[in-house]
Amino acid sequence: MLKKRGAGVLMHVSTIPSDYGIGVFDSNCIHFIDKLHDMQFGYWQVLPFNPVDASNSPYCSSSALAGNILFIDPKGLMKMGLCTEDEVRENIYTGSPYTADYEFAKEKRMKLLKSAFSRIDAETAQSVREFENSNPWVVDFSLYMALKEANNGAPWWKWADEYAHYDIFMNKHRYDFEERSAFWRFTQYIFFTQWQTIKDYANQKGIAVIGDMPIYVAMDSVDVWANLENFLIDEKTLKPQKVAGVPPDYFSEDGQLWGNPLYNWERMEKKGFKWWLSRLKNALTTYDVVRIDHFRAFASYWEVSADSETAKNGEWADGPKMKFFNKVFEEFPDAPIIAEDLGTFGEDVVQLLEDTAFPGMKVVQFGFDPDGDSSHLPHNAVQNSVNYVGTHDNNTILGWLWEATERERRFALDYVGFTKDNWGDGGYYSESCRKVIESVWKSSSNTAIIAFQDMCGFGSDARMNIPGVPEKNWRFRTTAETIDCLDADYFKKINSLYRRTYPVFDK
């Protein structure tokens, strides 16, 4: 994987059609995989599977290892005899099929799962115990979620001391919450069982799943609560002094103040990076390939005072570099990892990419500078790279063309070989957008990825995320009819023409 020519589609599970207000692990996933296979794609890329935060972002989660229970298929529960047909009908969504309704899905899925949990038999209970034995992280997660419920959703540092301090809780109160936590272990068993069925089908079709791993975890997460020593947090006040972000860049004039706690790399190193290795093992089991978001922080990271209002006034601090990745290679010698190396660059990042030999990323939109010779222009791409028409953080290609300056747009269109005046005509499959896509497909990069929205030629209203803007993101959805209307012959043709046909993966 990643070492020979291939192509893939970026489409998160939340985007896939379903009857339930958000995509789930059902026959619609199977149908989408079949379409990928028909078009001779070898990769399906998804966003993180973690539970989402209040803004529905999968990049700020209550757990780096748990799965988002909103993706659980109600009909799958019914087939297990854990819910009725009437209960499944209660989960059916009658609103817009073009917008993910997280609020509706959360309310209905929680009610359904609580009911399903009340009906589990001895055989299912044994399966849950076996899942727990194979995934010990689920114990801390389930206890954390039970405590969150008991504390009305308050962040862990606002709990009573005997709960906020993990060691005290585990010594004195753990078994008081066993019954409540059992529900959360059940939900994770269902999530990963249903996902494994979908992933197995994709693999059988010769398609590898590319997953996404956020480098940082949320402050209000089981990862921090149960592993406080791994983070730069005062163990008495339970407050961080400095937090994560990025300096001003392409996406934001003020930078992005993420607010995540920073890792105590020195202490992690003394423990052999055990927590990180466990996290990687989980990801490499859940997916076939793992893209590490903000990879550059392993070289050096931007730290900002916790009381700062923007990310402008931060400074660079050294990451663990190869001290960490030498341990990774001991544990996972041929780990299929993609390094998301976008944003502010430096020689330390270049060196780390060279030392790890991981493929970095190119995004064609970043290359369209009329005065430069950007590394993101397809003619500069090296083989060991993953070349994107656009990521979940980018505008669509059509949206970019509309919002670019006349000079940027003219350069981009001349570069890709579109010299006509009517660049915005042509409906879903305008020739100008296709020329951009083909420029990526022609590149030397071993892997080319296109977002589903760009396959359709959608405009900026179909964006998945606008970095730095906390509202109205992550909601794009599509319909089965739209998937069926994809120009399969076109994508099959360019995959064949530019030698990117599947299978890139043969299990």
Side-chain angles (χ1 to χ4, degrees), residues 232 239-244 257 259 303-310:
L232 296 176
K239 293 180 180 180
Q241 293 181 331
K242 294 185 178 182
V243 294
L257 184 60
E303 58 177 25
V304 185
S305 174
D307 57 8
S308 179
E309 293 183 0
T310 75

Side-chain angles (χ1 to χ4, degrees), residues 51-69:
V52 297
D53 68 358
S55 298
N56 306 317
S57 171
Y59 290 89
C60 188
S61 178
S62 57
S63 171
L65 302 180
N68 185 350
I69 62 173

